[in-house]
Structure formats: C-alpha cells, structure tokens
Amino acid sequence: MDVEVYYSGQRGGTMPYAALPAFRLFCKQNGFQLKWDSTNKRVDLDSGLKGKVCVLFTGISSGGGTAYEWEVLGNVQKFLSDSGMEVVISQNNPSLAKNTDVAIRFSLKEMRVLEKPRLIFFQSEDEKRQDLVKCLRAELQQSGIPCHYKVTKNQKQPSIVHIQLQLPLFTEVSKRKLYAEKIALHLASGVLEYFQNGLHIQPMAFLPPTILKLFYSTMLITSDKESQQGADEKPWAEAEEQSTIQESNQSSAEDSDSNIEGNSESDSEREELMILAEEELLDQVVTIHPVEEVPEQVETRTAAEVYFDYTLIHSESAEKPYLLIGTLQVKNTGNVELENPIVCLRVSPVDSIKMGGQVLPPKLVETMAVQGTSGLKGWRYLEDDWFAQAMERGEYWIAPIQPVTIAPESTESFQNFQISFLKQEAGKGIVVEGVVLCNDQTVHFSANNRIAVSF
C-alpha cells in the first residue's frame, strides 16, 4: 500500500506505507511539521516556520516610512514569506510587536558629514532580543557595510530591534540599490538563522515546495515512474533472452545436423535468420516505447522597469524658480498584471521644492477630476494632509483616481508633474527619486534613474 505525500497542500508523490515511521522521524529531526491522516492514508507536510509571525516596521521619524525603507522591507517580506512564516509590514503600529516571534524596525538616515555607509543597531540596556540581534549582526556584517551598536536608555519598545542605515547625502542611485539588495538578503538570512538556532531545525524545513520538488523526486517513490521504468527495461530483457534462445537452438541444430548430414544450412541462411531476429526486436521496442511530451510550465514573474523622463526649464533670474516638468514611466516587463500603482516621489531638500501639476487633493476629486468615458480619471494625492506630510518627510504619495491595470509589456505613465525650486547655493543640489507600489502595495519597484540638479 502506498501513502500520498503533500507539502503545503501540493502533492509531492507517494511512498510505501512501511516507510512511514522512518519518514516521521526524518521529518521530526529536520524540523518539518507532519500530520498523518490515517483515514485517507495521507501525509501532510508543512514548513517548520508555519505559524511563526514576523513584523517589519518602517522608520519612526518618517511616519509612513520612506520609499527606500519600503523597498528594503518589501524584499525581506518576499524572502521570508517563501519560508512559510507570516510576514507583515507596518508603517507605525508598535502594538503589532506584541505576541510576535520577531519584530524589526528598519530606518534610513542621510547625513552630510558621513563619508561611508554604516548600519547602527539601537539596543536598550535591558535588551530581550540578544539572540536575534546576534544573528542579524552576524549576517549583516557579511554585506560589507560596517555595523555598530548604540545603547539607548529607557527605550519605549524594547521588543523591537531597530536597525538604521546611515548614508552619505547624495549617494548614487546604483549604490543605494546595491545596499538595499544586500541588506534585504542578509536581514532575511539573519531572521532564518535565529529560528534555526532557537527551534533546532534544519534550513531544509524552510524551503518552499518548488525547491523541495527535487527532494520529492529523489527521496519518495513514485509508482508511476517505477512501473514505466520496469516496462521500459522488460522488452529489452525479453528480446535479449529470445535472441540467446534462438542462438542456442540454432547452435544445437547445427551440431545435430553436422553429425547426421554435415552442415545442411549455408552461411547465407544463418545471416538471413539473424536479420529477421533483429527486425523483430526493433518492432517490439518501437511498439512498447511510446514517447510522451511533457507540457512546459511557465513560471509567473512580477517585474517592471520604472524611469523618469523630464525637462528642466532654466531661469536667468535668481528670483524666479526653475521649473522641472517630468513623467514617471512604469513598464510591466513580467508576465503578471500590475494593479493600481501608487507613486512615491521623494524630494530633497524638502523646504526648497514645491510640487505642482494636475494632481488633485482627495477632497477635490469629485468636483475637479476629468470626466472620461468610463468615469473620473487622473491622479490624486493619497492623503488629505498631503502637503504637511510632504514638508515633514519630503515625500509625495500619489495614486490614480480610477482603477488602473498594467498588462504585461504595457506601460502606464504618471505624466506632467511639475516641481519648482529656486537656485541653490554652490555645492548643493536638488534630488527627486521615485518608487512604485502595486498589487495592494505587495510589490515595489524603484526608478532606474533619478533627477539630480547640481549648482
């Protein structure tokens, strides 16, 4: 009797019922969660991290979090979600840290006097997360970014591990992207190592079903493959045996005939018999070996190219502002639809830039939005107090008024936004960066370029 084996609800194969006790011990030793259904003769496996909860917070000072913080934590969420745990990203709701297994805050701070990037671990004197901090720091040190401790007294949320990336002001976009990728990878690895050490389970129990498919194909017995293999081998064995019997009978006949009549069969007749035997063997092989085509599986891929197109209108007068007219292009380069993009424009310095263009405050959408054939259309600010938040964080959050879906290989544009600013002091500049969040903010794409004006 065979037992059906499922992993995270997906069928992995079958195994002999007699192997069930040994298989249970193997799963227990490696950390898999196993449930045996004796009625249906079925084994259900799950990741060793199923039921674990990880909460990721953006920076406190920025309120809703910077676009860069969202990008890093979004990638960490992707890494950890595949391991089976539940991962939540929160803007600023510390109450979520209660009764969770891991709570981490990641923030970004840009500094004029800083020459090289560094990571700061803010640690309270009564730190209860020593093991987690140890694993995170060990992993993040491998990113090549120096790590430092900073002890803080009377920390309000000791259960949250706060990690801050400090960058020199005007760090190049390519370097910022590289730092974000490294931090996300090693931050996720540190969380997994923390669970591995604390739960005493092997990393194999963290792998998603797609990767464990190889494990199933080599460790579990699939009766279909075995029976097919046996069917493949049997005709060859029978053919070889038949050929041997024919040769043996032929040899015996020749010996007998040689004693009575002396070589009654000629060499040409023997060759003809051998050719007929080979043709019969080939007929058997062609008949028993049908070729089945396996349909190719297409892996879903979420991807996009985001970039700025812009024009700078120069003013000769020091009293008149410069005017920058820009468009943010979002091209879907994956094979999955991108729904309802939200645009975040991050500007610096905050007090020198004013945002304009055809972007409406939420309260004016009903009365001032353009009426299209399918209803209201255009772009709006995400929050009613968008101006106050922009002055505080340097970020403008903008969303489409109507539902928007970007099909694969299609492009959606946030067109003709306007940014005005006065001439800056020598050595200073204006920077505009962009990020796009889609599919209920579960995927994040940073712009490939940024707008930078130096003086």
Side-chain angles (χ1 to χ4, degrees):
M1 180 181 67
D2 287 340
V3 173
E4 297 283 337
V5 181
Y6 285 75
Y7 188 89
S8 294
Q10 299 182 17
R11 186 180 183 276
T14 62
M15 71 176 184
Y17 176 73
L20 181 59
F23 186 66
R24 289 182 71 251
L25 292 177
F26 171 82
C27 293
K28 181 179 180 181
Q29 181 180 9
N30 287 278
F32 291 98
Q33 299 183 21
L34 183 146
K35 180 181 178 182
W36 163 240
D37 185 350
S38 58
T39 302
N40 298 313
K41 297 298 185 288
R42 166 172 166 168
V43 171
D44 281 278
L45 295 178
D46 277 301
S47 165
L49 297 182
K50 182 180 181 181
K52 300 298 179 182
V53 180
C54 174
V55 181
L56 305 172
F57 296 96
T58 55
I60 299 176
S61 59
S62 58
T66 68
Y68 193 83
E69 292 166 0
W70 275 97
E71 178 184 358
V72 172
L73 295 182
N75 288 331
V76 175
Q77 184 182 43
K78 291 179 183 179
F79 287 136
L80 295 181
S81 295
D82 276 348
S83 66
M85 74 174 70
E86 181 182 355
V87 185
V88 179
I89 301 180
S90 175
Q91 295 180 349
N92 192 13
N93 186 6
S95 61
L96 292 176
K98 298 179 180 179
N99 302 321
T100 59
D101 299 284
V102 168
I104 299 173
R105 184 183 302 280
F106 174 76
S107 63
L108 171 69
K109 183 176 182 180
E110 295 182 278
M111 306 173 66
R112 294 181 180 275
V113 296
L114 198 64
E115 295 182 356
K116 296 182 179 180
R118 62 186 181 186
L119 287 164
I120 307 296
F121 285 79
F122 292 92
Q123 186 175 356
S124 64
E125 294 178 332
D126 57 344
E127 180 63 61
K128 299 179 180 180
R129 298 278 187 172
Q130 289 286 352
D131 293 338
L132 176 59
V133 172
K134 182 178 179 181
C135 292
L136 293 176
R137 186 179 183 186
E139 273 293 334
L140 286 170
Q141 282 178 331
Q142 298 183 37
S143 68
I145 305 175
C147 298
H148 305 275
Y149 276 119
K150 185 176 181 180
V151 178
T152 57
K153 297 182 179 180
N154 301 323
Q155 187 174 353
K156 296 181 180 180
Q157 300 151 359
S159 61
I160 301 177
V161 176
H162 183 189
I163 303 172
Q164 184 178 87
L165 172 64
Q166 297 182 353
L167 285 179
L169 194 63
F170 302 124
T171 300
E172 297 177 5
V173 173
S174 59
K175 291 184 178 180
R176 291 168 63 92
K177 283 181 173 291
L178 180 62
Y179 298 147
E181 293 174 0
K182 288 183 176 181
I183 291 172
L185 173 63
H186 291 286
L187 194 57
S189 299
V191 173
L192 294 178
E193 184 178 352
Y194 167 70
F195 281 115
Q196 178 187 351
N197 296 340
L199 300 176
H200 304 290
I201 57 181
Q202 298 300 317
M204 180 187 293
F206 304 161
L207 298 178
T210 52
I211 299 179
L212 282 175
K213 185 176 181 181
L214 178 62
F215 165 75
Y216 282 125
S217 64
T218 56
M219 297 297 293
L220 301 179
I221 301 173
T222 53
S223 56
D224 294 340
K225 290 184 178 180
E226 284 199 340
S227 60
Q228 181 64 36
Q229 183 179 1
D232 292 345
E233 294 177 352
K234 187 175 180 180
W236 289 97
E238 290 179 350
E240 291 179 358
E241 182 179 358
Q242 181 178 355
S243 176
T244 304
I245 293 175
Q246 288 177 349
E247 291 178 357
S248 176
N249 291 340
Q250 181 179 344
S251 177
S252 299
E254 290 175 353
D255 291 343
S256 176
D257 292 343
S258 64
N259 292 333
I260 300 174
E261 300 177 356
N263 273 339
S264 62
E265 291 184 334
S266 65
D267 293 340
S268 61
E269 291 175 341
R270 288 197 295 272
E271 291 177 358
E272 184 177 354
L273 290 175
M274 293 296 295
I275 292 173
L276 290 174
E278 291 177 357
E279 290 178 351
E280 183 179 356
L281 175 61
L282 291 174
D283 290 339
Q284 288 180 333
V285 172
V286 172
T287 302
I288 297 177
H289 282 273
V291 178
E292 297 182 359
E293 295 185 359
V294 179
E296 183 179 357
Q297 295 182 352
V298 179
E299 183 180 359
T300 59
R301 184 170 59 88
T302 304
E305 290 288 339
V306 181
Y307 53 92
F308 285 108
D309 288 332
Y310 61 94
T311 301
L312 180 63
I313 300 176
H314 176 67
S315 174
E316 297 294 342
S317 173
E319 298 179 355
K320 292 184 179 181
Y322 288 72
L323 180 62
L324 190 150
I325 302 175
T327 296
L328 186 65
Q329 308 278 7
V330 184
K331 181 179 180 181
N332 187 346
T333 57
N335 55 12
V336 179
E337 290 184 343
L338 301 177
E339 298 181 351
N340 298 326
I342 296 177
V343 174
C344 175
L345 297 181
R346 184 168 182 265
V347 301
S348 175
V350 178
D351 54 357
S352 300
I353 294 178
K354 292 183 179 180
M355 183 76 179
Q358 299 176 353
V359 185
L360 297 176
K363 295 179 180 179
L364 300 180
V365 168
E366 295 294 334
T367 57
M368 298 187 63
V370 178
Q371 183 70 39
T373 56
S374 57
L376 299 178
K377 64 178 183 179
W379 294 83
R380 62 176 176 85
Y381 291 109
L382 200 59
E383 303 291 343
D384 289 324
D385 59 342
W386 62 273
F387 184 77
Q389 292 190 22
M391 291 299 99
E392 178 185 352
R393 303 196 305 259
E395 295 177 353
Y396 294 88
W397 290 82
I398 303 165
I401 295 174
Q402 75 286 7
V404 172
T405 298
I406 310 176
E409 300 303 322
S410 299
T411 300
E412 182 70 24
S413 302
F414 170 44
Q415 297 181 343
N416 298 330
F417 63 87
Q418 298 179 13
I419 294 177
S420 60
F421 54 90
L422 294 172
K423 185 176 181 180
Q424 303 293 296
E425 298 177 2
K428 294 185 178 181
I430 300 296
V431 176
V432 181
E433 298 173 304
V435 67
V436 177
L437 296 78
C438 301
N439 299 354
D440 294 328
Q441 304 183 27
T442 58
V443 292
H444 316 269
F445 307 105
S446 296
N448 293 336
N449 62 334
R450 67 174 181 171
I451 302 173
V453 181
S454 301
F455 295 91

